[in-house]
Amino acid sequence: MGTVALAVTDGMLHFELSVAYEVFGADLSRLADPWYDVTVCGPDPVRFGRFRMEPDHGLDRLPDADMVIVPGWADVDVDPPAELVDAVRAAHEAGARVASLCTGAFVLAAAGLLDGRRATTHWAHTDVLAARYPRVEVDPDVLYVDNGSVLTSAGKAAAMDLCLHLVRLDHGSAIANTVARRLVVPPHRAGGQAQFVTAPVPALDDRASPGSGPHSGGGYPVAELLAWATERLDQALTVEDLARRAHMSSRNLGRHFRAVTGTTPLQWLLTQRIRRAQELLETTGDSVDAIAEATGMGTATTLRRHFNRTIGVPPDTYRRTFRTSRGR
């Protein structure tokens, strides 16, 4: 929470900057008060593409922020500006949480913040990042990496995923989901999800034709299937139930499902159940047994096992920790 500084410089990518400003800079105090206080820091003026902007402050103000967001920039063949690198390093040393979007990872790497750490960037530039900074453990196959005080994301849409992940860390799943609905984007994509897939994505209007059998390679829109399943998380849905709904064999569904989501139907279902459980733990006083039933887990024992393995703490601990954090 607190102050968010967007570190800008000439030649940056305006999409990533816009994503960060839209998530953190919009007045969403009706959702959580206080919300973030956003400031733009950079040399005066800053030019990117056909655009020109006047930052609020110079880069020397980065160490005053609680969180620093570093958008990417277009030319990764040259070293990032030394002034920007020094300011980002100073901000981290002062205790700021630092996150890069897309090729902003090159700034964090130049500042030494990724040495010995796992990190990612846009898949088209992961080889360059790894070659230039051999002490960084570059993972080209994920959407974002959270190292606590240092976070990195892949390109474009993954920047939104990381920004929503940061909101989730600070304000909880319920508010992050509300922000996602406002932006009309998926409320959560796990950071470990693949950046891209080589299999073709089925067209949204590629529906099963009359008479198509369950083993047809045809096409019930997977996006519609996700929405259908999300509304029924309280039911004991199986992969076979999803396949039946999609008029496919389980094997064919798995292939289409992975092409769209980057994961398996069973893992996707489990992830959605855990996210729903987080939201209920944050926003209700329901017992763990009731939440297990509401999320299709069946029993509190099953919920506790999967929740602990996925989130790292039991549901009761998560609830106490979240409420204590919000109180502070």
Side-chain angles (χ1 to χ4, degrees):
M1 303 184 197
T3 304
V4 177
L6 306 182
V8 300
T9 186
D10 286 343
M12 65 185 175
L13 300 173
H14 59 274
F15 179 86
E16 284 75 5
L17 172 64
S18 300
V19 164
Y21 199 88
E22 184 64 30
V23 172
F24 301 109
D27 181 8
L28 299 180
S29 55
R30 67 186 185 280
L31 300 180
D33 192 10
W35 190 246
Y36 301 95
D37 179 17
V38 174
T39 183
V40 180
C41 299
D44 188 20
V46 169
R47 296 177 176 82
F48 50 105
R50 299 180 179 180
F51 303 97
R52 179 180 182 276
M53 69 179 302
E54 300 285 343
D56 302 316
H57 304 287
L59 290 171
D60 59 324
R61 293 290 293 273
L62 288 187
D64 296 333
D66 298 303
M67 179 163 63
V68 173
I69 305 292
V70 184
W73 76 96
D75 193 358
V76 298
D77 293 328
V78 299
D79 292 333
E83 181 185 12
L84 175 62
V85 172
D86 292 342
V88 168
R89 184 189 300 114
H92 185 259
E93 291 174 350
R97 180 168 59 186
V98 179
S100 66
L101 308 179
C102 194
T103 49
F106 283 79
V107 176
L108 273 59
L113 304 189
L114 301 181
D115 288 354
R117 286 189 166 110
R118 191 165 147 266
T120 194
T121 188
H122 192 292
W123 61 266
H125 304 294
T126 50
D127 288 345
V128 177
L129 182 65
R132 189 175 303 169
Y133 303 101
R135 298 183 63 184
V136 180
E137 183 186 342
V138 180
D139 189 339
D141 298 322
V142 295
L143 295 178
Y144 58 85
V145 176
D146 182 348
N147 287 303
S149 63
V150 178
L151 305 92
T152 55
S153 85
K156 303 305 177 186
M160 179 67 76
D161 293 315
L162 178 55
C163 288
L164 289 174
H165 172 70
L166 290 166
V167 173
R168 184 173 292 104
L169 291 175
D170 293 337
H171 295 287
S173 296
I175 290 178
N177 291 346
T178 301
V179 175
R181 284 193 294 271
R182 172 182 173 271
L183 298 172
V184 198
V185 298
H188 179 79
R189 291 199 299 169
Q193 186 169 319
Q195 285 195 33
F196 71 99
V197 290
T198 56
V201 176
L204 289 181
D205 60 354
D206 182 17
R207 300 174 183 272
S209 59
S212 60
H215 297 283
S216 132
Y220 182 93
V222 173
E224 289 187 16
L225 181 63
L226 300 183
W228 179 86
T230 300
E231 295 173 356
R232 294 163 175 79
L233 292 178
D234 59 325
Q235 302 176 19
L237 295 176
T238 65
V239 175
E240 289 71 24
D241 293 329
L242 297 181
R244 192 178 304 112
R245 176 72 184 184
H247 309 294
M248 298 180 186
S249 68
S250 297
R251 182 176 180 179
N252 201 19
L253 173 67
R255 181 172 61 83
H256 282 266
F257 209 93
R258 185 174 286 278
V260 173
T261 69
T263 189
T264 65
L266 190 61
Q267 185 58 50
W268 181 86
L269 269 175
L270 178 60
T271 299
Q272 304 316 305
R273 296 188 197 284
I274 295 295
R275 298 307 171 196
R276 179 67 59 81
Q278 284 182 283
E279 184 169 345
L280 292 175
L281 288 166
E282 295 167 8
T283 59
T284 74
D286 294 350
S287 68
V288 175
D289 291 277
I291 292 175
E293 183 177 351
T295 56
M297 292 287 193
T299 68
T301 300
T302 301
L303 172 59
R304 286 191 175 96
R305 182 174 70 252
H306 288 297
F307 196 95
N308 197 10
R309 184 173 59 191
T310 304
I311 305 301
V313 295
D316 296 309
T317 303
Y318 178 85
R319 173 177 271 164
R320 287 194 301 270
T321 303
F322 175 78
R323 290 183 175 176
T324 300
S325 174
R326 288 301 306 276
R328 289 173 182 169

